[in-house]
Amino acid sequence: SAREVTGYYAWASGAVDRASPPNELILSMSFTDAVAPPRLGVVLVVHNGLRWLPVILGTMAEWRIAGLELIVVDNGSTDGSRELLESRVTSDRLIHLDNARSFSEAVEVALRHPALGGVPVLLLMHDDLVMTVDAVSTLLATMEADPEVAIAGPKLRDWSQEPIVQQVGQTTDPFGRWISDLEPGEMDQGQHDEANDTLYVSTAGMIVRTDAYEELGGFDRRMSFQREDFDLCWRAWIAGYRVRVVPMA
């Protein structure tokens, strides 16, 4: 799959050292703030993501966002991801699923955790997505600035030494088949850095307003493998909301 082959980077002005995974930065990830009111809920779904996790968790350990609540779901991993997560994430923020489920089902399990009750915005993360704190803050600022935007997502780049653009929002042809305006192997030179409304964004780095998500009924459980992002965003447009891609995130 694309996840296993490439992975994603969502960048703002921050950077990640891909050559040296910062394991030493990860001591005990909890991300709970007893003082600040809930501002952002983050759900990280992991399924056999061991090759990516050291960098991902190391980057997340540097996030400093008031009111952030993190829940990590180990989605039936068998490659050592479970053991790594247990050593890095506090047990009250880690959910284990014995059998792998779809991404959307794992998200629904996470949303039942009491720590996410009352958060106004949710950020969804795959186990191959690295997001700097600037990228997260940029997405959050977009949601807080415009209540008509129900869903937003970042520019996604390949996990490689070259800045290859993978997604900047997505659309389909008249038959509902995914199409891309990007050239194969297109380098990121800032040519897609203007924020725009888009038909849909990937669940990798998707940020969604909680009340809109609940109004829409969440992900459609019949979408068991891929395109649950397309379906959710399409229903958001039909309901009168907007979906936005934020390339500076």
Side-chain angles (χ1 to χ4, degrees):
S1 68
R3 169 173 29 183
E4 295 167 341
V5 173
T6 59
Y8 302 105
Y9 271 85
W11 298 80
S13 58
V16 176
D17 182 357
R18 285 161 280 185
S20 302
N23 283 316
E24 68 276 6
L25 296 177
I26 317 164
L27 297 177
S28 180
M29 297 175 62
S30 176
F31 291 97
T32 181
D33 193 328
V35 177
R39 185 183 178 203
L40 174 67
V42 179
V43 177
L44 169 62
V45 177
V46 177
H47 176 68
N48 292 340
L50 185 62
R51 65 179 297 194
W52 317 106
L53 281 176
V55 176
I56 293 167
L57 297 180
T59 305
M60 292 178 71
E62 298 179 313
W63 291 3
R64 296 295 181 268
I65 300 175
L68 186 151
E69 301 286 352
L70 169 70
I71 298 298
V72 180
V73 180
D74 171 45
N75 192 17
S77 296
T78 58
D79 67 340
S81 294
R82 174 172 182 152
E83 291 75 17
L84 177 60
L85 290 171
E86 288 175 343
S87 69
R88 301 294 189 259
V89 182
T90 55
S91 60
D92 62 323
R93 298 306 171 110
L94 180 59
I95 298 172
H96 290 297
L97 300 179
D98 293 333
N99 299 309
R101 308 184 190 181
S102 68
F103 178 84
S104 58
E105 288 175 327
V107 169
E108 291 298 328
V109 171
L111 293 180
R112 294 198 287 267
H113 194 289
L116 297 182
V119 296
V121 181
L122 293 167
L123 174 66
L124 309 182
M125 295 186 62
H126 293 192
D127 56 15
D128 58 357
L129 174 69
V130 171
M131 296 192 74
T132 65
V133 64
D134 290 328
V136 177
S137 297
T138 300
L139 285 175
L140 183 57
T142 297
M143 302 301 285
E144 293 179 338
D146 191 342
E148 293 185 356
V149 176
I151 301 172
K155 171 171 62 181
L156 297 176
R157 300 195 331 197
D158 280 355
W159 188 301
S160 65
Q161 294 299 325
E162 300 294 335
I164 298 174
V165 185
Q166 190 174 91
Q167 294 179 22
V168 191
Q170 301 190 85
T171 189
T172 67
D173 66 13
F175 299 98
R177 294 174 297 197
W178 172 79
I179 57 175
S180 175
D181 294 330
L182 300 173
E183 295 294 330
E186 183 173 339
M187 304 288 284
D188 184 8
Q189 301 176 354
Q191 69 271 36
H192 300 290
D193 280 357
E194 183 178 351
N196 289 291
D197 287 353
T198 186
L199 178 59
Y200 73 108
V201 295
S202 169
T203 50
M206 175 187 285
I207 191 167
V208 55
R209 205 174 298 281
T210 308
D211 56 359
Y213 183 85
E214 293 174 351
E215 178 186 338
L216 296 170
F219 291 113
D220 190 331
R221 295 184 179 182
R222 295 171 295 179
M223 310 291 289
S224 59
F225 181 70
Q226 297 187 341
R227 295 298 174 261
E228 67 269 33
D229 43 15
F230 176 28
D231 175 75
L232 181 68
C233 292
W234 194 340
R235 286 187 282 123
W237 277 110
I238 292 173
Y241 292 106
R242 290 165 49 217
V243 178
R244 198 154 179 84
V245 60
V246 187
M248 295 307 293

